[in-house]
Amino acid sequence: MQVTETLNEGLKRAYQMMLTAQELDDKVNAKLAEAQPEIEMKGFRKGKVPMPLLKKQFGQRLLGEAMQEAIDEAMGAHFESTGDKPAAQPKIEMKNGEEWKEGDDVEVEMSYEALPEIPEVDLKSISLEKMVVKADDAGVEEALGNLAETAQDFKARRKGSKAKDGDQVVMDFVGKVDGEAFEGGSAEDFPLVLGSNQFIPGFEEQLVGVKAEEEKDVTVTFPEEYQAEHLAGKEAVFSCTIKEVKEPVAAEVNDELAQKFGAEDLDALKGQISERLEAEYAGAARALMKRALLDELDKMVSFELPPSLVEAEAGQIAHQLWHDDNPDVQGHDHGEIEPTDEHKTLAERRVRLGLLLAELGQKAEVEVTDAEMTQAIMNQARQYPGQEREFFEFVQQNAQMQQQMRAPIFEDKVIDYVFELAQVSEKEVAKADLEKALESLEDE
């Protein structure tokens, strides 16, 4: 196939590829010859069907396949000889497609944007500061207090006290629709925390103010979409007998609390909390150091960017920020969102750093392992309780989804690789200093 360059401006490339009728015919004949030994046809022994008859029978349907193979081979040879790497899938257009007929040459135009040459970066010259925060007694005690609140218990209020939102009401109740008790609508000694939204809307609010030994009828209407169809949309009356009204109390911070959370005693729980806090601080410090690294890399490199990548990234940024400001609008149910100059500037930074990190990772032979991908899929699958297996299978069958999940893992591994080469100094700071630095990062 003859290939002629028609455009070479910046990163834009275009080529005209000519596949002669004879080359196409030879490819079809080669395919028929390859298949001939296995073809059976009435009146002929297996493998003995004459080529002219095979061509008449199957030649037409092999034309498209042969044409595509020839184009793919020409593209592969072109990229191997030029060293070009397309920024996206090349655009292929058959110039004489509407007029083409069997026996004509095939004229194809291939166009693409080439990835730029990425300049070398002296990673060892980069200086970074890593904030180190130690877990202090105040932080551990604050975390213990939060745990005690989550492990709260309830104690009986003084006799005659009215139930408040957040209190626990222990009661017997019988629910009736049209005067008839229904299955699942009754219970004894049922503990209900008011405000927990455990019952259907309107139920718990009507129990605010009740007292122990009081009887109260609660009238509610089941939602139209209620799972039990025979109750959906129906009005029900629950006759409630209040046995106790209890107020919430935080659990005591002692060995018993520690054992509730799987620790041997209080000291062991404090140790676990201290480790968890320092891991959280380290994660926040890494995020700050990563941002500082990306800022440094952005200053160190400059190269031409594929316009299509910048345009696509700017569009995604504009779309995401618009949805952040309009959270009630789902999907693409809105007009066109035009990227601003600010969006384009941010897009240029992201594309530039993305290409640089990809180049660094390739040269360092950074790879995402199957085990890392499996762990990432499992972590995300937990967001879909009861559908973990379906999510796992969906990802396995969706190459685009796999790439979306692989990309951040790859980037973090490249970042860690650069951290190892850069000059990193540690600075011990207070938790407040770390938090202030994070707030500054979020405000940018």
Side-chain angles (χ1 to χ4, degrees):
M1 180 181 284
Q2 181 182 351
V3 180
T4 306
E5 185 177 78
T6 58
L7 177 66
N8 189 334
E9 295 178 0
L11 298 176
K12 294 182 178 180
R13 305 282 188 272
Y15 298 86
Q16 180 177 310
M17 301 190 293
M18 177 73 74
L19 176 64
T20 67
Q22 185 60 54
E23 288 175 319
L24 182 57
D25 191 55
D26 289 344
K27 266 200 161 294
V28 171
N29 288 336
K31 283 183 165 296
L32 288 172
E34 183 181 353
Q36 186 182 31
E38 301 300 323
I39 295 178
E40 296 183 60
M41 191 177 291
K42 188 175 181 180
F44 298 94
R45 286 181 297 161
K46 182 180 179 181
K48 298 300 181 180
V49 182
M51 284 294 290
L53 186 56
L54 287 178
K55 193 167 187 179
K56 182 179 179 180
Q57 185 79 7
F58 304 107
Q60 192 66 36
R61 77 175 65 169
L62 290 176
L63 273 174
E65 186 179 324
M67 197 181 299
Q68 187 61 55
E69 283 187 6
I71 293 171
D72 290 344
E73 289 170 3
M75 285 173 56
H78 165 76
F79 290 127
E80 185 174 349
S81 64
T82 63
D84 275 357
K85 297 178 182 178
Q89 184 67 26
K91 180 181 177 182
I92 302 295
E93 183 179 359
M94 189 170 173
K95 302 301 291 182
N96 57 340
E98 295 182 0
E99 302 172 358
W100 185 86
K101 60 183 182 297
E102 189 174 353
D104 289 347
D105 294 339
V106 179
E107 298 176 25
V108 175
E109 183 177 84
M110 174 178 68
S111 58
Y112 60 90
E113 290 174 359
L115 288 175
E117 288 289 330
I118 310 296
E120 291 285 340
V121 179
D122 183 8
L123 301 177
K124 294 182 180 180
S125 69
I126 299 174
S127 296
L128 300 170
E129 183 179 82
K130 179 181 180 181
M131 289 185 169
V132 178
V133 179
K134 300 295 185 182
D136 56 14
D137 291 342
V140 173
E141 291 301 323
E142 181 183 354
L144 276 172
N146 293 335
L147 287 178
E149 286 186 11
T150 63
Q152 70 178 5
D153 203 349
F154 293 89
K155 70 175 183 179
R157 283 192 178 276
R158 189 178 57 190
K159 188 175 181 180
S161 296
K162 295 181 178 181
K164 301 177 182 179
D165 199 39
D167 282 356
Q168 184 188 74
V169 174
V170 181
M171 61 182 176
D172 297 342
F173 63 84
V174 177
K176 296 181 180 180
V177 171
D178 297 330
E180 296 290 333
F182 57 90
E183 185 179 354
S186 303
E188 294 182 355
D189 296 323
F190 188 91
L192 175 64
V193 177
L194 303 185
S196 65
N197 297 319
Q198 187 176 352
F199 277 23
I200 61 177
F203 190 102
E204 295 169 24
E205 292 85 343
Q206 295 181 53
L207 291 178
V208 173
V210 297
K211 304 175 184 178
E213 301 179 5
E214 180 181 342
E215 293 186 353
K216 171 86 173 182
D217 283 347
V218 174
T219 303
V220 293
T221 301
F222 284 96
E224 293 291 343
E225 65 277 8
Y226 194 67
Q227 63 265 27
E229 293 183 5
H230 66 289
L231 298 176
K234 297 287 184 66
E235 183 179 88
V237 177
F238 288 83
S239 299
C240 305
T241 301
I242 311 303
K243 291 187 170 180
E244 288 184 278
V245 173
K246 298 182 177 182
E247 63 180 328
V249 291
E252 290 187 29
V253 178
N254 53 24
D255 290 344
E256 184 179 347
L257 174 68
Q259 289 162 6
K260 284 184 179 180
F261 288 95
E264 184 176 344
D265 53 29
L266 184 58
D267 286 339
L269 180 60
K270 287 182 177 180
Q272 292 176 9
I273 290 174
S274 181
E275 290 178 5
R276 176 177 59 78
L277 288 176
E278 291 190 359
E280 290 177 1
Y281 301 151
R286 183 188 185 281
L288 289 168
M289 195 164 72
K290 176 180 177 180
R291 175 58 182 269
L293 170 62
L294 294 177
D295 288 344
E296 283 299 309
L297 291 175
D298 194 37
K299 295 175 186 175
M300 295 173 72
V301 295
S302 178
F303 50 84
E304 188 175 2
L305 303 175
S308 61
L309 294 187
V310 175
E311 183 180 342
E313 184 66 28
Q316 290 182 8
I317 292 170
H319 188 263
Q320 181 59 54
L321 292 178
W322 188 91
H323 275 286
D324 290 345
D325 294 334
N326 300 273
D328 295 334
V329 181
Q330 301 296 318
H332 295 271
D333 188 20
H334 52 72
E336 185 176 351
I337 302 170
E338 192 70 28
T340 65
D341 290 342
E342 186 178 352
H343 297 150
K344 293 174 183 176
T345 299
L346 179 55
E348 289 173 353
R349 171 188 164 96
R350 287 187 181 179
V351 171
R352 181 164 48 250
L353 290 173
L355 292 176
L356 175 59
L357 292 176
E359 180 76 4
L360 292 175
Q362 183 179 8
K363 288 184 176 179
E365 298 183 348
V366 173
E367 293 184 353
V368 178
T369 65
D370 291 342
E372 288 167 336
M373 274 297 292
T374 299
Q375 186 61 52
I377 296 172
M378 290 175 63
N379 290 342
Q380 196 158 335
R382 293 192 184 100
Q383 299 177 22
Y384 306 93
Q387 298 179 310
E388 292 89 349
R389 182 172 181 176
E390 289 84 348
F391 179 81
F392 202 93
E393 292 175 350
F394 167 73
V395 174
Q396 286 183 318
Q397 298 168 9
N398 191 312
Q400 184 177 359
M401 186 69 175
Q402 290 176 32
Q403 181 55 32
Q404 289 176 359
M405 299 184 71
R406 181 179 286 105
I409 303 173
F410 176 82
E411 179 179 297
D412 277 343
K413 294 187 75 170
V414 176
I415 292 294
D416 287 337
Y417 161 75
V418 179
F419 282 162
E420 291 176 4
L421 296 176
Q423 305 297 316
V424 179
S425 60
E426 294 188 351
K427 179 181 179 182
E428 190 164 333
V429 300
K431 176 186 174 184
D433 296 326
L434 178 64
E435 291 175 339
K436 185 177 180 180
L438 284 173
E439 288 174 4
S440 299
L441 183 63
E442 292 171 357
D443 291 338
E444 292 181 6

